């Protein structure tokens, strides 16, 4: 079975803090994705990566950056957290053109 | 513009009462259509992929079908444990991104 793990289930941070969300997959997938999910807005793509050291902006990249130094690991960085970044963050991975498998999510609260 | 619309937004069923969820899409070349189940506070769980019109996939009480404009998720004799939000997503020929619908929240009462 594909397994996607995220570093934290719940996270509470202060405004202005730098926040790192880590995602690891164990199925040698080329593609990795970061989404946020908010009530009424659905799933929105923040960034994705097709290969190591490659990244592409999704629909809402502002305020975020990413890092992919190894194939199995994709990190989402909030350079200076703000209250409007309070959300559920979901990581996913896939083979090229195939279904995405999601992690359990990280519920981030920014105070 | 590529778009996915799911209906209804919410559906309440009695245990054993069969029904269907709809996913309508407009996309510039469909590469695949995906169904997911999401329980509260958890990540989406992959259910099915459909690639071409006329294709059908089944898993337990769920059956997904695809036409050129929409997909249906049929739920036969649902049980309370089928209660969840069901998400539909499409992948266009250009690029690997998924475009998600807003989901249908299904509640099955005993």
């Amino acid at each position: 079975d594909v397994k996607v793990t995220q570093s934290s289930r719940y996270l509470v941070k202060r405004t202005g803090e730098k926040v790192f969300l880590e995602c690891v997959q164990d199925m040698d997938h080329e593609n990795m994705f970061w989404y946020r999910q908010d009530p009424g807005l659905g799933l929105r793509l923040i960034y994705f990566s097709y290969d190591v050291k490659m990244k592409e902006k999704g629909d809402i990249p502002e305020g975020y950056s990413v890092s992919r130094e190894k194939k199995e690991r994709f990190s989402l960085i909030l350079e200076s957290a703000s209250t409007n970044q309070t959300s559920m963050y979901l990581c996913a991975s896939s083979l090229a053109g195939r279904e995405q498998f999601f992690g359990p999510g990280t519920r981030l609260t920014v105070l | 513009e590529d778009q996915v619309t799911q209906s209804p937004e919410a559906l309440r069923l009695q245990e054993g009462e069969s029904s269907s969820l709809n996913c309508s899409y407009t996309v510039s070349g469909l590469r695949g259509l995906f169904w997911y189940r999401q329980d509260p506070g958890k990540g989406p769980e992959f259910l099915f992929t459909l690639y071409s019109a006329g294709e059908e996939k089944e898993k337990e009480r769920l059956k997904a079908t695809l036409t050129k404009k929409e997909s249906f998720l049929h739920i036969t004799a649902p049980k309370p444990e089928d209660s969840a939000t069901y998400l539909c997503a499409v992948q266009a020929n250009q690029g690997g991104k998924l475009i998600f619908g807003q989901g249908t929240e299904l509640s099955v009462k005993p």
Side-chain angles (χ1 to χ4, degrees), chain A residues 9 33 35 37 40-43 45 48 50 59 88 90 97-104, chain B residues 31 34 36 38 41-46 48-49 51 87 91 95-98 100-102:
Chain A
R9 289 302 310 276
F33 307 82
Y35 296 87
Q37 187 175 33
L41 297 176
L43 276 156
L45 182 64
F48 59 105
Y50 288 137
D59 301 316
M88 170 70 109
L90 292 160
R98 298 292 302 273
E99 59 273 8
Q100 294 180 19
F101 294 91
F102 285 82
Chain B
R31 192 170 184 179
F34 306 87
Y36 290 85
Q38 187 174 25
K42 297 186 177 181
E45 174 190 347
F46 169 71
F48 304 110
T49 306
Y51 291 107
L87 298 169
Q91 186 177 59
K97 296 192 297 182
L98 293 185
F100 281 87
Q102 293 291 318

Side-chain angles (χ1 to χ4, degrees), chain B:
Chain B
E1 182 183 349
D2 299 336
Q3 194 169 358
V4 178
T5 303
Q6 291 187 246
S7 61
E9 289 185 12
L11 182 62
R12 292 187 176 185
L13 300 174
Q14 289 297 126
E15 184 171 2
E17 181 187 1
S18 301
S19 188
S20 296
L21 283 55
N22 178 263
C23 172
S24 298
Y25 64 91
T26 53
V27 64
S28 50
L30 180 70
R31 192 170 184 179
L33 185 142
F34 306 87
W35 281 99
Y36 290 85
R37 169 195 170 122
Q38 187 174 25
D39 293 300
K42 297 186 177 181
E45 174 190 347
F46 169 71
L47 292 174
F48 304 110
T49 306
L50 301 167
Y51 291 107
S52 57
E55 190 174 0
E56 298 181 352
K57 293 273 181 74
E58 282 189 71
K59 180 180 180 180
E60 295 180 356
R61 295 176 293 282
L62 300 176
K63 179 179 177 180
T65 62
L66 181 65
T67 72
K68 288 186 178 180
K69 293 184 178 181
E70 59 192 349
S71 176
F72 291 94
L73 185 65
H74 306 278
I75 303 176
T76 302
K79 298 182 178 181
E81 53 262 41
D82 294 322
S83 296
T85 295
Y86 291 85
L87 298 169
C88 168
V90 297
Q91 186 177 59
N93 279 335
Q94 298 301 319
K97 296 192 297 182
L98 293 185
I99 303 158
F100 281 87
Q102 293 291 318
T104 293
E105 185 177 353
L106 174 67
S107 175
V108 182
K109 300 298 183 185

